[in-house]
Amino acid sequence: MTAPIHTEPARDPYMTRRRVTWTMICAFLGAGVLMFVRFFFPRVLFEPSPRFRIGQPSDFGMGVDERFRQSHRVWIVRDPDRLFVLSAKCTHLGCTPNWIEAENKFKCPCHGSGYDMQGRNFEGPAPRPMDRAHVEIDAEGQVVVDLSRLFVCPPAGVCEFDQPEAYVTVSGDRS
C-alpha cells in the first residue's frame, strides 16, 4: 500500500494581490488618521517673555553692562542721570554687534556698522540707530524691561529716545 499523496488545494492566484492591495489601503488611511490627529497638537516655539526684570538701578555702574546680552539680547547702558536698555540687534541685517570698551562703541561683525554708547549709528551701512526698549521701575524698585515696546529713531522721522518710557532717571554717583 502506498501512502496517500496529500495535495494542497489550489490557491487563488488573486489572493496575494488582494492582500497587498488591502494592506496599502489600510496603511494610507492609517497615515491620514495620524496626520489628522497630529493636526490638533501644533508645534509650539516657546520663547522667553519679552517683559523681564533686570535688578535695581543701583546694580549697574556707569557705561555698558553686557549681563543680559546672551539671555535677552539687550545691553543696559547707564549715564550719569539715565539708565536705558538697547536692543542688541544691528539695524542693518539684525546681527548682534559687539561692545568694544577700548573704543567706546558697538561694532557689528557682519558688515562693520558702528554705534556709539547711546546706540546712534555713525559708521557703516546701518540705516538708523539701535532700538531702545521700554523701561520702568516696578513697585519693588526693580527695573522692568519690555521688549515688546521698542522706541526707534528713524533717519527722517521723529526720534523717540527722549520719551519718558525709553529711560529711567537715576541719581547717585555709582561708578
Side-chain angles (χ1 to χ4, degrees):
M1 299 205 102
T2 61
I5 299 175
H6 294 289
T7 58
E8 292 186 24
R11 295 186 96 198
D12 183 9
Y14 298 111
M15 186 66 158
T16 304
R17 189 177 298 170
R18 275 189 240 129
R19 183 173 293 144
V20 168
T21 302
W22 279 109
T23 301
M24 288 178 144
I25 290 171
C26 289
F28 176 77
L29 292 175
V33 167
L34 285 176
M35 288 187 289
F36 178 75
V37 170
R38 176 67 179 97
F39 174 76
F40 293 104
F41 301 98
R43 296 179 191 169
V44 178
L45 177 63
F46 294 101
E47 294 182 0
S49 173
R51 188 173 167 88
F52 55 93
R53 290 179 173 183
I54 59 172
Q56 303 282 338
S58 60
D59 294 344
F60 302 98
M62 293 297 199
V64 177
D65 191 313
E66 296 191 79
R67 277 185 267 181
F68 299 96
R69 180 177 167 210
Q70 290 294 330
S71 60
H72 296 286
R73 203 172 180 193
V74 295
W75 288 293
I76 315 305
V77 181
R78 170 106 186 244
D79 282 346
D81 59 338
R82 290 182 176 184
L83 182 128
F84 57 90
V85 177
L86 288 174
S87 172
K89 189 184 291 187
C90 179
T91 56
H92 178 233
L93 292 176
C95 304
T96 302
N98 297 314
W99 169 245
I100 303 172
E101 191 167 355
E103 298 179 25
N104 206 28
K105 70 177 181 179
F106 297 101
K107 187 74 171 172
C108 182
C110 300
H111 297 99
S113 294
Y115 302 89
D116 64 8
M117 197 166 93
Q118 303 292 318
R120 298 186 188 278
N121 56 322
F122 64 88
E123 65 182 357
R128 60 184 177 82
M130 288 191 281
D131 300 332
R132 291 190 184 179
H134 178 270
V135 185
E136 63 186 23
I137 305 244
D138 66 4
E140 297 173 9
Q142 297 273 327
V143 177
V144 179
V145 178
D146 188 357
L147 289 174
S148 65
R149 297 170 58 189
L150 296 176
F151 297 94
V152 297
C153 190
V158 178
C159 189
E160 301 173 346
F161 287 174
D162 291 327
Q163 291 189 10
E165 297 90 12
Y167 61 89
V168 172
T169 305
V170 292
S171 60
D173 54 343
R174 168 142 174 149
S175 315

